[in-house]
Amino acid sequence: MSTETFEFQVEARQLLQLMIHSVYSNKDVFLRELVSNASDALDKLRLAKLRDDTLDADVSDPHIELETDPDARTLTVRDNGIGMSYDEVGELIGTIANSGTARFLKELKEAQDAEAEGLIGQFGVGFYSGFMVADEVTLLTRKAGEERGTRWSSRGEGTYTLERVDDAPQGTSVVLHLKPADPDNQLHDYTSVWKLKEIVKRYSDFITWPIRLVGEKGDDGAAAEPETLNSMKALWARPRDEVSEDEYHELYKHIGHDWREPLETIQLHAEGTFEYQALLFVPSHAPHDLFRQNMRHGLQLYVKRVFIMDDCEALLPSYLRFVKGVVDAQDLSLNVSREILQQDRHIRMMQRRLTKKVLSSVKSMMTRDADKYATFWREFGAVLKEGLVTDPDNRDALLAVASFASTHEDGDAVTLKQYVERLPEGQDDIYYITGESRETIDNSPHMEAFRERGIEVLLLTDPVDEVWVDAVGEFEGKRPRSVAKGEIDLDAREDDKSEDEQKQQAEAYAGLLGWMRERLDDDVKEVRLSTRLTRSPACLVADADDLTPALENMYRAMGQEVPHSKRVLELNPDHALVKGLNEAYTEREDRSELADTAELLYTLAVVAEGGRPKDPARFVRLTADRLERTL
């Protein structure tokens, strides 16, 4: 048969070089990756056969084999699973279609040993790890139901060969032509039986398919019976006191493709009219694609310990998409599809129960381990808050586990309950401010009067914060209220103006306010005096029901047409610039030059909240002109 030679995709070539030159010291994980791939292939074959009993495939003895040849220095990892077609080999092995490959390469180069170990599985490029221990890798595969197979081979030097073959067995065999052992560089002898047993026990003991060691010679030189190396325990079906944390963690690493330990392990046994077991894991860090639209997420679904599907999204709401785990149901059909799951009442019941279990576990984490909770909220708080908008049934439970940055004196994140408990008498609102960064909103002009009066304000910087605060009508009778929206009537202080003084001031500024309203008609709906400013000359305020600029931009980024909302320009009547502008307005008949000052004052308010001037070049010219006059 003809053999064709191809060049690796650029990213694949870069990845190969990293693997060949060993990006981290624990090279044992190559076997974990290849066994995991083989297990996935067996899962897919069983599922394909369940859905199409006419498929010409042997499913009588699904298994994984490890075979060594010390003389030839080869290790073969073989399965009789679904296999790959000629085109699939080219697509899956010769190229890396993952859109996150470039980021993966960058993170891999920067990662420490323990972190790098997790990245390989997370980005789905585990096959390439074979080049850490092998000078050459040969893959022989035949897809179930097809007559011809494919041989792939490469020395990792920039090219690979593909050949169609007639005598390939069903499934996939990966033959590693091993490098010489080098203990000083953690390169072990992977033809050693005890080493293979150690690796399988550590990483793959829970794999549901038998992993058999074949080819070992007995004392008489004859081949010994294959030895099964893994226990194949369904950990989710066993009582928790019979399973060690290490066993749970290894299962998580296998199904989550994340080789760091999970933050939390959650087990659930549901009995009654509909029985199922669940073993869920909360990761210790957010995946790289947590906020990507095409992120694969969901739990593994089994029926009576038979694998049915990966990434079953119907079992948890989208805002818990970071949760990994297994659900094993007793009463579902083995031939269930994703479309059927969306309508199945049992699945909906399971989702409600699993969601409540996860949220109650997070609440428990808050009280028993503050550091662990802080890690959880740092990694997943932004995505969890999506549920405040999309899941009104669990809104109270979500609010109970949410925490927020605050201006409170100790600087720690606070819960809404803590905020409400220390509210002064007479305050009926939970004040908050939203923005792109903590620094920007911390120094916002809108905060000045609140800081001066010691009124606590929540500082919200996640994009979803622009949305959920409107969805949550109130918490314990107190309603969320933006310090940048509507008119603010804070409690008076001793040095505040009397009603008569306020009235006189309003009359003194009435002419300027009306004139500025006309001059800035394209940008503002009103100009008024402010009660929230103490140091800044001006700020922009939205009406209570208006969209914020950030929310407008968010909707436009999603392709939705949103009309631009004019806002209110508030002036600080005690600021020297505003006083001077009012005096000039009162004294001069020719106010043409004052129009530029009014425009500058408005643009300064835009910049102060982190916005961008409508015409940056004009803003610079006006500012430079005013500065020149001061010299």
Side-chain angles (χ1 to χ4, degrees), residues 284 357 386 423 534 559 564:
S284 57
K357 184 67 174 179
E386 293 175 9
L423 276 181
T534 61
H564 173 67

Side-chain angles (χ1 to χ4, degrees), residues 478-491:
K478 308 295 182 182
R479 50 186 184 158
R481 184 173 181 190
S482 172
V483 303
K485 281 188 172 186
E487 295 194 57
I488 298 293
D489 183 19
L490 301 177
D491 290 339

Side-chain angles (χ1 to χ4, degrees), residues 205-208 231-252 267 269 277-279 281 305 326 328:
D205 190 54
F206 45 82
I207 295 287
T208 54
S231 66
M232 298 173 283
K233 299 172 182 174
L235 299 186
W236 55 88
R238 296 168 56 194
R240 187 152 189 162
D241 57 5
E242 294 182 7
V243 184
S244 70
E245 286 301 307
D246 286 343
E247 287 178 298
Y248 281 136
H249 291 174
E250 289 308 323
L251 176 61
Y252 163 72
Q267 193 166 21
H269 286 261
Q277 295 90 35
L279 186 58
F281 302 96
R305 303 194 189 180
V326 173
D328 189 354

